[in-house]
Amino acid sequence: MASFYFTSLLLVIISYFAFSIINMVKKLLFFGLLLSLVLGCERKQYPVSIQTKVIHDTVVIRLPPVPLVPPTTTNPIDSLLYDVHTAGSPNFNLRKPNFVIIHHTAQDSCAQTLYTFSLMRTQRSSHYVIGRDGKLYHLVNDYLRAWHAGVSKWGGITDMNSCSIGIELDNNGKEPFSGAQINTLLLLLDTLKKTYNIPTANFIGHADIAPRRKDDPSVYFPWKLLSEKGFGLWQDSIPPSINVDSSFNAMEALRIIGYDTSDSTAAIIAFKRHFMKDESSKTLNEWDRKTLFNLYKKYL
Ligand SMILES: [Zn+2]
């Protein structure tokens, strides 16, 4: 009988310790799992990780070094021939616009233009559209390259899309621009000029940079008013008595202003449309030469 009680007591004690051990193992497994999850997250490596660090008001984005692969004929990198000794630098940002190109839409409504620019197949866009009612639409970020200039040239620049802001004015090309629209334009130009430190001479029209293809903005556009506000250059008032020397080279003057003179007639028409509100003549008369002489010196 005594051995029965002793055996029972022993079984109870063994069972108690067995349960305790099982519970302890369960707890160890739970905490082990928890610990491995935490450590696993800390060690997790992303193929391209971006760590951000806030310094005062500036967020510095640190990118991991990207292995540069020397280009081959089947792997060109921006057509540049990198040397094998490649290196990186964290010191860069997006490029700022340095020109403003003004257009008229040659369409009948703002809605029509916004729809045109929303379609990928048109391959056309601008940074801003301003309606006849003065409403301003911002379509493309200022730092990005909108497709508004097309094949164009101004001075030595042959890719105006890469350095400019494009502004489309809702206008069919055969009508005056509304006061509300021009007021909005002046406010926008003021902001752009201050934000990007755009030189006064660099506010020009689409027809100026593409004289063979384009005629916008039309002769109705108030370039003189814009120049008075600091957007674009304008000739001084010309005394009738002024004489221009016969040796004055008009084509050279147009080239110095920025016009592509490879087509001299197109360059003259563009100049007269912009600065003389005249697109009916393809030649420069004496008064035109005086105006051009007066103007080009501002670009020297
Ligand atoms: Zn245009």
Side-chain angles (χ1 to χ4, degrees):
M1 196 64 185
S3 64
F4 171 75
Y5 282 120
F6 176 75
T7 306
S8 299
L9 183 63
L10 195 62
L11 284 172
V12 168
I13 291 170
I14 290 171
S15 300
Y16 173 78
F17 280 109
F19 278 119
S20 298
I21 289 168
I22 289 170
N23 279 334
M24 193 180 295
V25 168
K26 278 183 180 174
K27 285 177 183 173
L28 284 172
L29 283 173
F30 173 76
F31 284 113
L33 183 64
L34 197 63
L35 192 63
S36 67
L37 280 173
V38 172
L39 292 176
C41 286
E42 281 185 354
R43 284 199 307 271
K44 188 168 183 179
Q45 295 293 317
Y46 293 93
V48 177
S49 65
I50 297 175
Q51 301 165 28
T52 59
K53 183 181 177 186
V54 178
I55 299 174
H56 303 299
D57 294 327
T58 307
V59 176
V60 179
I61 299 176
R62 299 185 186 283
L63 293 170
V66 179
L68 292 175
V69 181
T72 64
T73 51
T74 56
N75 176 34
I77 300 175
D78 290 339
S79 75
L80 296 176
L81 295 174
Y82 288 102
D83 191 78
V84 291
H85 306 292
T86 53
S89 171
N91 307 318
F92 63 89
N93 58 10
L94 294 170
R95 281 168 282 197
K96 292 180 185 175
N98 202 237
F99 282 82
V100 169
I101 308 300
I102 294 169
H103 307 252
H104 69 230
T105 61
Q107 291 189 319
D108 293 324
S109 74
C110 199
Q112 191 182 355
T113 301
L114 296 175
Y115 179 66
T116 301
F117 288 169
S118 74
L119 300 174
M120 192 174 282
R121 62 179 158 81
T122 67
Q123 298 285 288
R124 288 178 56 201
S125 61
S126 68
H127 295 88
Y128 296 91
V129 172
I130 303 178
R132 288 170 166 82
D133 57 1
K135 201 175 280 185
L136 177 67
Y137 299 86
H138 195 176
L139 285 77
V140 178
N141 188 290
D142 293 353
Y143 288 98
L144 301 180
R145 184 176 180 273
W147 301 341
H148 61 95
V151 177
S152 51
K153 187 172 186 288
W154 188 250
I157 304 171
T158 55
D159 181 4
M160 295 303 294
N161 276 340
S162 288
C163 61
S164 68
I165 292 279
I167 302 173
E168 290 274 1
L169 303 175
D170 178 28
N171 181 290
N172 64 16
K174 304 180 184 74
E175 59 185 337
F177 294 84
S178 77
Q181 192 174 41
I182 297 302
N183 284 340
T184 299
L185 174 65
L186 291 173
L187 288 171
L188 174 60
L189 294 182
D190 190 51
T191 302
L192 294 174
K193 186 176 183 182
K194 287 174 182 164
T195 305
Y196 304 116
N197 198 24
I198 298 174
T200 300
N202 290 2
F203 293 79
I204 49 181
H206 198 186
D208 294 317
I209 62 172
R212 269 194 268 209
R213 301 185 303 113
K214 295 293 177 180
D215 62 359
D216 61 311
S218 71
V219 289
Y220 291 106
F221 188 72
W223 284 114
K224 186 171 185 294
L225 171 67
L226 258 69
S227 74
E228 289 165 0
K229 304 289 184 184
F231 313 117
L233 297 182
W234 195 253
Q235 63 271 21
D236 296 326
S237 57
I238 305 168
S241 58
I242 189 173
N243 281 316
V244 178
D245 194 276
S246 60
S247 63
F248 170 61
N249 187 328
M251 279 302 119
E252 183 67 4
L254 286 173
R255 190 190 64 75
I256 288 169
I257 289 172
Y259 286 101
D260 176 5
T261 54
S262 57
D263 182 333
S264 56
T265 303
I268 289 171
I269 292 173
F271 162 73
K272 293 187 71 169
R273 182 189 294 112
H274 184 135
F275 292 99
M276 310 198 72
K277 288 190 173 295
D278 173 14
E279 53 187 355
S280 60
S281 152
K282 299 177 181 178
T283 55
L284 294 170
N285 61 30
E286 196 52 34
W287 184 252
D288 300 334
R289 281 171 55 84
K290 287 180 180 179
T291 304
L292 180 56
F293 179 75
N294 186 298
L295 179 69
Y296 98 103
K297 290 184 289 185
K298 294 172 184 268
Y299 290 83
L300 293 173

